[in-house]
């Protein structure tokens, strides 16, 4: 048992990672949520210099940048990245392009995915040989709390269309909890994952499948925060359908 613990510590000391959190006008909750995440990572990954939290601000007009800057001055593991244009995909691409970590990934500021799953995701990449890990709310072992029927139906319909239209196998392309070895970021972008918007998350999985990366599907406990959601489902659905058509044009011919 001691030898196994020593092995785990050695791996944790050598595998670095960046956690990117895209934000836009999140002044109300930013400080509290980032402190929760920082405390969790500090406790479970105590090695100095092993990880960073990157707050990728997408052009906020409230106090978000000021709060993020304050957090970065207080904690050496937190940094603010200013991305002047809006778009989750753009924020992630910008953050990951400037990263030197072994592992990169992202989660939503609301921390909807239970943080304990982060340890599972890290182990899958650091010790189990996976190239990419994605959370899924649609697995039979997943536990989803507080999600409205409308959002649940929308998610399932979207993923069914995605499977039918693109022939993908992954169960949940929209879950905001994805991690991968940084060495694959550029090949995935060159293979078609280059949207500046929310669809970038789905593109990552689609292109990873086309490239036969070793993917780990992680059933998660997900607590939906509908009170803070500003997503226009109808508008987002139309954007996704358009993006699917574009992505299909990039799919390699077999």
């Amino acid at each position: 048992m001691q030898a196994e613990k020593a092995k785990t510590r050695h791996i944790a000391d050598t595998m670095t990672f960046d956690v990117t959190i895209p934000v836009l006008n999140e002044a109300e909750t930013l400080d509290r949520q980032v402190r929760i995440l920082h405390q969790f990572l500090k406790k479970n990954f105590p090695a100095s210099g092993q990880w960073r939290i990157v707050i990728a601000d997408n052009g906020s007009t409230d106090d978000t940048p000021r709060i993020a800057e304050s957090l970065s001055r207080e904690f050496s593991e937190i940094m603010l990245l200013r991305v002047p244009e809006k778009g989750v995909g753009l924020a992630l691409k910008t953050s990951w392009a400037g990263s030197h970590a072994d592992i990169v990934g992202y989660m939503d500021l609301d921390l909807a995915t239970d943080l304990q799953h982060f340890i599972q995701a890290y182990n899958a990449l650091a010790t189990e040989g996976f190239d990419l890990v994605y959370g899924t709310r649609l697995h039979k072992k997943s536990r989803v709390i507080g999600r409205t029927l409308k959002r649940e139906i929308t998610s399932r319909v979207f993923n069914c269309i995605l499977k039918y239209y693109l022939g993908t196998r992954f169960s949940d392309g929209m879950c905001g909890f994805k991690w991968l070895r940084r060495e694959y970021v550029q090949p995935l972008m060159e293979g078609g994952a280059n949207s500046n918007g929310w669809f970038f998350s789905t593109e990552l999985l689609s292109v990873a499948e086309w490239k036969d990366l070793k993917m780990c599907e992680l059933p998660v406990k997900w607590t939906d925060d509908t009170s803070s959601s500003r997503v226009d489902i109808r508008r987002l659905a139309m954007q996704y359908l358009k993006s699917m058509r574009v992505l299909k044009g990039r799919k390699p011919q077999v």
Side-chain angles (χ1 to χ4, degrees):
M1 179 65 71
Q2 289 182 343
E4 188 63 30
K5 287 183 177 180
K7 179 181 177 183
T8 301
R9 284 198 298 271
H10 174 71
I11 291 171
D13 288 346
T14 56
M15 296 296 289
T16 58
F17 58 89
D18 282 353
V19 182
T20 300
I21 303 180
V23 295
L24 174 63
N25 295 331
E26 301 286 0
E28 184 176 344
T29 61
L30 181 63
D31 185 84
R32 179 183 71 246
Q33 297 298 90
V34 171
R35 287 180 185 275
I36 291 172
L37 177 59
H38 182 275
Q39 183 178 30
F40 173 84
L41 294 176
K42 195 76 172 177
K43 176 182 178 182
N44 290 280
F45 300 90
S48 177
Q50 186 188 359
W51 52 270
R52 293 189 310 172
I53 298 173
V54 181
I55 303 173
D57 177 59
N58 269 139
S60 294
T61 56
D62 63 0
D63 278 344
T64 293
R66 181 188 61 78
I67 295 170
E69 184 64 37
S70 177
L71 286 166
S72 70
R73 289 196 299 268
E74 182 176 352
F75 301 106
S76 61
E77 301 90 354
I78 297 176
M79 70 164 287
L80 167 64
L81 174 66
R82 300 298 297 270
V83 184
E85 298 179 33
K86 295 181 180 180
V88 171
L90 179 61
L92 296 179
K93 289 185 293 183
T94 304
S95 175
W96 296 350
S99 174
H100 297 287
D102 300 309
I103 297 168
V104 295
Y106 82 101
M107 60 176 60
D108 298 327
L109 180 64
D110 60 8
L111 307 182
T113 302
D114 192 293
L115 288 178
Q116 291 299 322
H117 294 304
F118 186 89
I119 299 174
Q120 295 174 280
Y122 174 83
N123 287 336
L125 293 166
T127 71
E128 298 169 17
F130 286 97
D131 302 317
L132 184 150
V133 181
Y134 69 95
T136 173
R137 299 157 296 186
L138 302 180
H139 192 279
K140 62 181 180 181
K141 293 184 179 180
S142 300
R143 184 183 174 198
V144 178
I145 301 170
R147 202 171 203 205
T148 65
L149 181 61
K150 180 180 179 180
R151 290 174 70 93
E152 180 70 14
I153 292 175
T154 300
S155 178
R156 291 186 179 276
V157 169
F158 166 80
N159 281 285
C160 284
I161 294 173
L162 195 66
K163 288 182 179 182
Y164 175 79
Y165 190 64
L166 293 179
T168 55
R169 299 185 301 275
F170 53 83
S171 64
D172 190 352
M174 301 170 71
C175 183
F177 189 79
K178 293 181 175 65
W179 311 92
L180 67 156
R181 289 178 173 268
R182 184 175 57 84
E183 64 196 83
Y184 292 112
V185 171
Q186 191 61 33
L188 290 178
M189 290 173 58
E190 292 174 354
N194 50 39
S195 170
N196 284 342
W198 285 98
F199 195 68
F200 177 73
S201 174
T202 302
E203 289 177 335
L204 279 177
L205 301 189
S206 300
V207 180
E209 276 195 6
W210 300 343
K211 290 185 173 295
D212 294 321
L213 266 61
K214 189 175 181 182
M215 299 167 62
C216 174
E217 180 177 81
L218 187 63
V220 298
K221 176 183 176 183
W222 174 280
T223 303
D224 213 29
D225 183 13
T226 56
S227 62
S228 64
S229 177
R230 295 187 292 268
V231 175
D232 183 334
I233 293 179
R234 181 177 178 180
R235 180 170 174 267
L236 186 63
M238 296 303 294
Q239 291 176 346
Y240 271 29
L241 291 172
K242 181 179 179 180
S243 297
M244 279 187 210
R245 291 195 296 270
V246 174
L247 182 59
K248 187 172 184 178
R250 303 179 187 138
K251 184 176 181 180
Q253 298 299 316
V254 180

